[in-house]
Amino acid sequence: MSSRAHWSSRLGFILATAGSAIGLGNIWRFPYLVGQNGGCSFLIVYLCCVFGLGYFMLVGKLSFGRAAKTNIVDGFQTIASQAQKNISPTWGFLGGMLTLLNAIIISGVYVTVIGWTLFYTFESFQNLFFFTKNIHEQTTFNNLISSFEIQLFLGTLCILLTAFIISKGVKKGIERVALYLMPLLFILLVVMLIRILVLPNAEKGIAFFLSPNWAAIGFSSEGIDFKLFSKVLLTAVGQSFYSLSLGMGVMFTYGSYLANTNDLKKDARWIVSLDLMVSILAGLIVLPAVFAFNLEPTTGAGLTFMTLPYVFANMWGGELWAFLFYLLLFIAALTSLISIYEPLTALFIDKLKLTRNKATLLTAFLNICFFVLALLSLTKKIHFQLMGKNLFDAFDWITGSVSLSLTMIVCCLFMGWIGFIPIWRNFRRGSRASRVFRTYLKIVLQFIAPFLLTILILMAFI
Ligand code: PFF
């Protein structure tokens, strides 16, 4: 094995990769998307997207990284030459840089939201002893998002913690943290679930989550509402890709630390299943909790930071449950942030010949720049706007609606049309797969994913 870092165990790799996938997307975003898009029917569409598309994209990305065994910027060139195809170095460079730009921009937004979870974790922890914090009041959240200083402090704490873990390396940092935190996350989820399911009226939320309402996704006795269905479908596609951490070089980089003997078909199945399981558990916690108090599940992004604190405040032992829930959210988000740092750090180590410590510092510095910019704009300290939005919302919009999809289109087209043979050959080194699997993977990469992603981008502008 070369001097390139590598995972020390299969379990470590699966947990670290699942740790990247499981994050705010599962616990914050997924329940409100289910709430807004008709409950169980959305879940069914989502399941199809995860197993029909996300899984194959993940297999492609992990194999791409493992075949290239380098950083994301050089990866395109390496695979193109393995495929004996000539591509202009500019294309590889652009693909790689776009991926990294996503990571830098999104990390600014991600850190801000992790800061909020840390805030609620601290406040609810204090409530365990002093009962002095009114975290359920709407003003608490409004005050938080308008305070530059508090958010800066909390975000910086998260950045320092992440940088510390990344500086320890793949085995002693990322993998070790995943080995401790991921089991803790699952224990917390199950404990929370049991508590919520015994709430009176929780069954209404379970019914909402588990019994399909076809009309909500466009199927009714009067026919099919194609517009509504495509909106739901594309929301599910976008969420499944985001949840599987596609589009930022994370899966590529984590794959590049793998030995060729790993069975990627099985490993990807584990990662997808763990990710999905957490989304479903989060839905089963958040929605019944909301229904138990006759609240609306369709409030959107505020569900976690405005609706749930109210639920906890009105629940027996709510201080403890609030603390456990926000701790859970914090752990999930931290392991994702760690993964966003790694592709950048790996690139700086390779390209700028920096030590891991220096490369980590540079990544953290870039993260701080975008975080502070987002924060200054969110708290109205600067009035600079991008497309009529403050920078926090603009960064979120650019990555979520445009650049992540754009990067994925570039990657899929590359994997499907240029690098398919070496990527497939690498995949086959540890896994058995039928011709049907191969053909379907190729069709997903060449046509289906680029097509859906293009529509996703167009929809963002309409
Ligand atoms: N998958 C993470 C989540 O669901 O919160 C978000 C994410 C992390 C997206 C890392 C992309 C990424 F590279």
Side-chain angles (χ1 to χ4, degrees), residues 20-26 106 110 239 241-250 275 336-337 339-340 404:
S20 166
I22 298 165
L24 295 171
N26 303 62
I106 224 166
Y110 217 78
Q239 169 66 9
F241 290 173
Y242 180 81
S243 191
L244 288 172
S245 300
L246 299 166
M248 281 195 245
V250 172
D275 183 55
S336 296
L337 184 66
S339 76
I340 299 178
L404 270 183

Short mmCIF file of all heavy atoms in Angstrom, two decimals, residues 20-26 106 110 239 241-250 275 336-337 339-340 404, ligand 1:
data_model
loop_
_atom_site.label_atom_id
_atom_site.label_comp_id
_atom_site.label_asym_id
_atom_site.label_seq_id
_atom_site.Cartn_x
_atom_site.Cartn_y
_atom_site.Cartn_z
N SER A 20 -20.78 10.66 7.52
CA SER A 20 -20.85 11.79 6.60
C SER A 20 -22.27 11.95 6.07
O SER A 20 -22.84 13.04 6.02
CB SER A 20 -19.89 11.57 5.43
OG SER A 20 -20.18 12.47 4.40
N ALA A 21 -22.85 10.81 5.69
CA ALA A 21 -24.19 10.86 5.09
C ALA A 21 -25.23 11.31 6.11
O ALA A 21 -26.10 12.14 5.82
CB ALA A 21 -24.54 9.48 4.54
N ILE A 22 -25.12 10.78 7.32
CA ILE A 22 -26.12 11.11 8.35
C ILE A 22 -25.78 12.47 8.94
O ILE A 22 -24.71 12.65 9.51
CB ILE A 22 -26.12 10.04 9.45
CG1 ILE A 22 -26.51 8.69 8.84
CG2 ILE A 22 -27.05 10.43 10.59
CD1 ILE A 22 -26.20 7.51 9.73
N GLY A 23 -26.68 13.42 8.76
CA GLY A 23 -26.38 14.76 9.27
C GLY A 23 -27.64 15.58 9.40
O GLY A 23 -28.74 15.03 9.57
N LEU A 24 -27.47 16.89 9.27
CA LEU A 24 -28.64 17.79 9.37
C LEU A 24 -29.69 17.41 8.34
O LEU A 24 -30.88 17.56 8.57
CB LEU A 24 -28.18 19.22 9.13
CG LEU A 24 -27.23 19.80 10.19
CD1 LEU A 24 -26.68 21.13 9.74
CD2 LEU A 24 -27.95 19.94 11.52
N GLY A 25 -29.23 16.89 7.20
CA GLY A 25 -30.15 16.50 6.13
C GLY A 25 -31.15 15.46 6.60
O GLY A 25 -32.31 15.47 6.19
N ASN A 26 -30.70 14.55 7.45
CA ASN A 26 -31.60 13.48 7.91
C ASN A 26 -32.52 13.94 9.03
O ASN A 26 -33.70 13.60 9.05
CB ASN A 26 -30.79 12.29 8.48
CG ASN A 26 -29.81 11.74 7.50
OD1 ASN A 26 -28.90 12.44 7.07
ND2 ASN A 26 -29.99 10.50 7.11
N ILE A 106 -20.60 25.47 1.22
CA ILE A 106 -21.59 24.81 2.07
C ILE A 106 -21.12 24.72 3.52
O ILE A 106 -21.93 24.78 4.45
CB ILE A 106 -21.95 23.41 1.51
CG1 ILE A 106 -23.47 23.23 1.58
CG2 ILE A 106 -21.29 22.30 2.24
CD1 ILE A 106 -24.00 22.09 0.79
N TYR A 110 -23.27 25.22 6.83
CA TYR A 110 -23.39 24.06 7.72
C TYR A 110 -22.94 24.42 9.15
O TYR A 110 -23.58 24.09 10.13
CB TYR A 110 -22.54 22.92 7.16
CG TYR A 110 -23.16 21.55 7.34
CD1 TYR A 110 -24.19 21.10 6.51
CD2 TYR A 110 -22.73 20.70 8.35
CE1 TYR A 110 -24.75 19.85 6.68
CE2 TYR A 110 -23.29 19.44 8.52
CZ TYR A 110 -24.30 19.03 7.68
OH TYR A 110 -24.86 17.79 7.86
N GLN A 239 -32.94 15.56 -2.22
CA GLN A 239 -32.71 15.17 -0.83
C GLN A 239 -31.88 13.90 -0.75
O GLN A 239 -30.99 13.78 0.07
CB GLN A 239 -34.06 15.01 -0.10
CG GLN A 239 -33.98 14.37 1.26
CD GLN A 239 -33.25 15.21 2.31
OE1 GLN A 239 -32.92 16.38 2.06
NE2 GLN A 239 -32.94 14.62 3.44
N PHE A 241 -29.64 12.77 -2.84
CA PHE A 241 -28.23 13.02 -3.18
C PHE A 241 -27.54 13.79 -2.06
O PHE A 241 -26.41 13.51 -1.70
CB PHE A 241 -28.13 13.81 -4.49
CG PHE A 241 -28.51 13.00 -5.71
CD1 PHE A 241 -28.61 13.60 -6.96
CD2 PHE A 241 -28.76 11.65 -5.62
CE1 PHE A 241 -28.96 12.87 -8.09
CE2 PHE A 241 -29.12 10.90 -6.74
CZ PHE A 241 -29.23 11.51 -7.97
N TYR A 242 -28.26 14.78 -1.53
CA TYR A 242 -27.68 15.58 -0.44
C TYR A 242 -27.41 14.68 0.76
O TYR A 242 -26.35 14.73 1.38
CB TYR A 242 -28.65 16.70 -0.06
CG TYR A 242 -28.16 17.58 1.05
CD1 TYR A 242 -27.25 18.60 0.81
CD2 TYR A 242 -28.60 17.39 2.37
CE1 TYR A 242 -26.79 19.42 1.84
CE2 TYR A 242 -28.15 18.20 3.39
CZ TYR A 242 -27.25 19.21 3.13
OH TYR A 242 -26.80 20.00 4.15
N SER A 243 -28.39 13.84 1.07
CA SER A 243 -28.26 12.99 2.24
C SER A 243 -27.12 12.00 2.09
O SER A 243 -26.48 11.64 3.07
CB SER A 243 -29.58 12.26 2.48
OG SER A 243 -29.55 11.65 3.74
N LEU A 244 -26.84 11.58 0.87
CA LEU A 244 -25.72 10.64 0.68
C LEU A 244 -24.40 11.37 0.45
O LEU A 244 -23.42 10.77 0.01
CB LEU A 244 -26.04 9.69 -0.47
CG LEU A 244 -27.11 8.65 -0.13
CD1 LEU A 244 -27.52 7.86 -1.36
CD2 LEU A 244 -26.65 7.69 0.96
N SER A 245 -24.38 12.66 0.74
CA SER A 245 -23.14 13.46 0.64
C SER A 245 -22.51 13.39 -0.74
O SER A 245 -21.29 13.26 -0.87
CB SER A 245 -22.10 13.01 1.67
OG SER A 245 -22.58 13.15 2.96
N LEU A 246 -23.35 13.45 -1.78
CA LEU A 246 -22.79 13.42 -3.13
C LEU A 246 -22.57 14.85 -3.61
O LEU A 246 -23.31 15.75 -3.23
CB LEU A 246 -23.76 12.69 -4.06
CG LEU A 246 -24.04 11.23 -3.68
CD1 LEU A 246 -25.24 10.67 -4.41
CD2 LEU A 246 -22.81 10.36 -3.95
N GLY A 247 -21.54 15.05 -4.41
CA GLY A 247 -21.35 16.37 -5.02
C GLY A 247 -20.29 17.25 -4.38
O GLY A 247 -20.11 18.38 -4.79
N MET A 248 -19.60 16.71 -3.34
CA MET A 248 -18.57 17.55 -2.73
C MET A 248 -17.24 16.84 -2.59
O MET A 248 -16.39 17.24 -1.79
CB MET A 248 -19.04 18.00 -1.35
CG MET A 248 -20.00 19.13 -1.44
SD MET A 248 -20.16 19.87 0.14
CE MET A 248 -21.83 19.50 0.47
N GLY A 249 -17.09 15.76 -3.32
CA GLY A 249 -15.81 15.06 -3.28
C GLY A 249 -15.61 14.21 -2.04
O GLY A 249 -14.54 13.63 -1.85
N VAL A 250 -16.63 14.14 -1.18
CA VAL A 250 -16.44 13.39 0.06
C VAL A 250 -16.37 11.89 -0.22
O VAL A 250 -15.43 11.20 0.20
CB VAL A 250 -17.60 13.66 1.05
CG1 VAL A 250 -17.51 12.74 2.24
CG2 VAL A 250 -17.59 15.11 1.48
N ASP A 275 -28.13 5.33 6.50
CA ASP A 275 -28.57 6.71 6.26
C ASP A 275 -30.10 6.78 6.22
O ASP A 275 -30.72 7.64 6.85
CB ASP A 275 -27.96 7.19 4.93
CG ASP A 275 -28.31 8.64 4.64
OD1 ASP A 275 -28.03 9.49 5.48
OD2 ASP A 275 -28.87 8.90 3.56
N SER A 336 -20.64 14.97 9.75
CA SER A 336 -20.76 15.41 8.35
C SER A 336 -19.78 16.54 8.05
O SER A 336 -19.15 16.57 7.00
CB SER A 336 -22.18 15.89 8.06
OG SER A 336 -23.08 14.84 8.20
N LEU A 337 -19.67 17.46 9.00
CA LEU A 337 -18.74 18.58 8.77
C LEU A 337 -17.30 18.05 8.62
O LEU A 337 -16.54 18.52 7.77
CB LEU A 337 -18.82 19.60 9.92
CG LEU A 337 -17.96 20.83 9.72
CD1 LEU A 337 -18.43 21.67 8.54
CD2 LEU A 337 -17.92 21.71 10.97
N SER A 339 -16.43 15.34 7.36
CA SER A 339 -16.26 14.79 6.01
C SER A 339 -16.14 15.89 4.95
O SER A 339 -15.50 15.70 3.93
CB SER A 339 -17.40 13.84 5.67
OG SER A 339 -18.58 14.56 5.35
N ILE A 340 -16.77 17.03 5.23
CA ILE A 340 -16.65 18.13 4.24
C ILE A 340 -15.22 18.67 4.24
O ILE A 340 -14.71 19.12 3.22
CB ILE A 340 -17.67 19.25 4.56
CG1 ILE A 340 -19.11 18.71 4.48
CG2 ILE A 340 -17.51 20.43 3.60
CD1 ILE A 340 -20.20 19.72 4.82
N LEU A 404 -24.36 22.13 -6.46
CA LEU A 404 -24.21 20.71 -6.14
C LEU A 404 -24.68 19.87 -7.32
O LEU A 404 -24.02 18.91 -7.73
CB LEU A 404 -25.05 20.34 -4.92
CG LEU A 404 -24.38 20.45 -3.56
CD1 LEU A 404 -25.32 19.97 -2.46
CD2 LEU A 404 -23.10 19.63 -3.49
N1 PFF B 1 -25.13 14.31 4.04
C1 PFF B 1 -25.11 15.43 4.94
C2 PFF B 1 -26.46 15.59 5.60
O1 PFF B 1 -27.39 14.84 5.27
O2 PFF B 1 -26.60 16.46 6.43
C3 PFF B 1 -24.75 16.72 4.25
C4 PFF B 1 -23.51 16.66 3.42
C5 PFF B 1 -22.30 16.34 4.03
C6 PFF B 1 -23.61 16.89 2.08
C7 PFF B 1 -21.16 16.23 3.25
C8 PFF B 1 -22.48 16.78 1.30
C9 PFF B 1 -21.27 16.46 1.91
F1 PFF B 1 -20.22 16.40 1.16
#
